Amino acid sequence: MQIRYVDDGEGLEAVRSILGSTDRIALDCEAAGYHRYSDRLCLIQVSAEGLTYLLDPFEVDPAPILRPALEGSEVEVVMHGADFDVRLLYRDLGIRLTKLFDTQIAASLLGIEAIGLSSLLESELGIQLSKKYQKADWAQRPLPSPMRDYAAHDTAHLITLAAHLRQSLDEAGRLEW
């Protein structure tokens, strides 16, 4: 997995390029709600075509490059447990998602009991994912390398997981649900 930390305009252009050339991305957000009086968007992870970009909203405004893909109908956005992140993206960036596939909802529709991301990745794809930094202070800068790696893994396998769950939903006659 290739990880690129985006904190300048050149990095944003690379993200814009990938968003313009793919029909599916994985997306996740990290906030600092556990360590601050009020939460705020601290990191945005975008994975597509074997690359994961970590966008630092403290250094760059990601809204102009994310908005066309996230609000358009051409790019499917794959997320896990998207409810909080969808609200965060709207509140902090003014972005409204239009084409979302939520792997947590898909797993629920299949009757899977353990629907956390790490549980699903392990049971469905045999991938073990650490949740060590789940409640870390994502507002700290510089962001330590282990936290960057952790964040990248939150989206690196989402597209594969979504494809697997989509096939299971289709076989169960529940895809339209």
Side-chain angles (χ1 to χ4, degrees):
M1 168 179 44
Q2 292 185 31
I3 304 169
R4 297 188 182 156
Y5 192 77
V6 177
D7 60 356
D8 60 24
E10 185 178 320
L12 280 178
E13 285 307 313
V15 176
R16 181 191 314 269
S17 176
I18 198 105
L19 291 175
S21 66
T22 189
D23 61 351
R24 185 170 292 118
I25 64 167
L27 181 77
D28 189 35
C29 301
E30 303 297 342
Y34 294 108
H35 300 275
R36 305 286 184 273
Y37 177 71
S38 61
D39 62 0
R40 70 183 278 196
L41 182 63
C42 296
L43 191 69
I44 303 166
Q45 304 99 287
V46 177
S47 291
E49 300 178 13
L51 296 171
T52 297
Y53 294 94
L54 304 176
L55 287 70
D56 184 344
F58 296 173
E59 297 295 326
V60 294
D61 179 8
I65 62 116
L66 290 176
R67 183 170 285 111
L70 301 184
E71 291 185 343
S73 61
E74 293 83 31
V75 178
E76 179 181 71
V77 180
V78 178
M79 299 178 80
H80 183 82
D83 55 341
F84 177 73
D85 291 356
V86 167
R87 290 191 303 269
L88 196 61
L89 288 166
Y90 178 69
R91 186 195 71 197
D92 290 6
L93 301 179
I95 293 175
R96 295 176 191 243
L97 294 178
T98 56
K99 193 173 179 183
L100 173 66
F101 185 92
D102 190 321
T103 55
Q104 187 174 55
I105 292 172
S108 293
L109 293 174
L110 288 166
I112 298 172
E113 291 185 28
I115 58 171
L117 180 58
S118 60
S119 296
L120 280 175
L121 286 173
E122 188 165 355
S123 67
E124 302 299 312
L125 302 177
I127 296 169
Q128 292 188 340
L129 184 69
S130 168
K131 296 311 280 179
K132 180 178 180 179
Y133 295 105
Q134 188 171 23
K135 295 182 180 180
D137 182 1
W138 290 97
Q140 68 177 301
R141 294 296 186 271
L143 204 56
S145 182
M147 288 177 67
R148 291 181 186 198
D149 291 343
Y150 166 90
H153 280 91
D154 271 356
T155 57
H157 307 289
L158 272 181
I159 292 173
T160 303
L161 178 62
H164 180 80
L165 294 172
R166 180 179 280 115
Q167 180 179 345
S168 296
L169 284 168
D170 190 38
E171 290 168 0
R174 297 179 180 179
L175 186 57
E176 292 305 314
W177 291 9

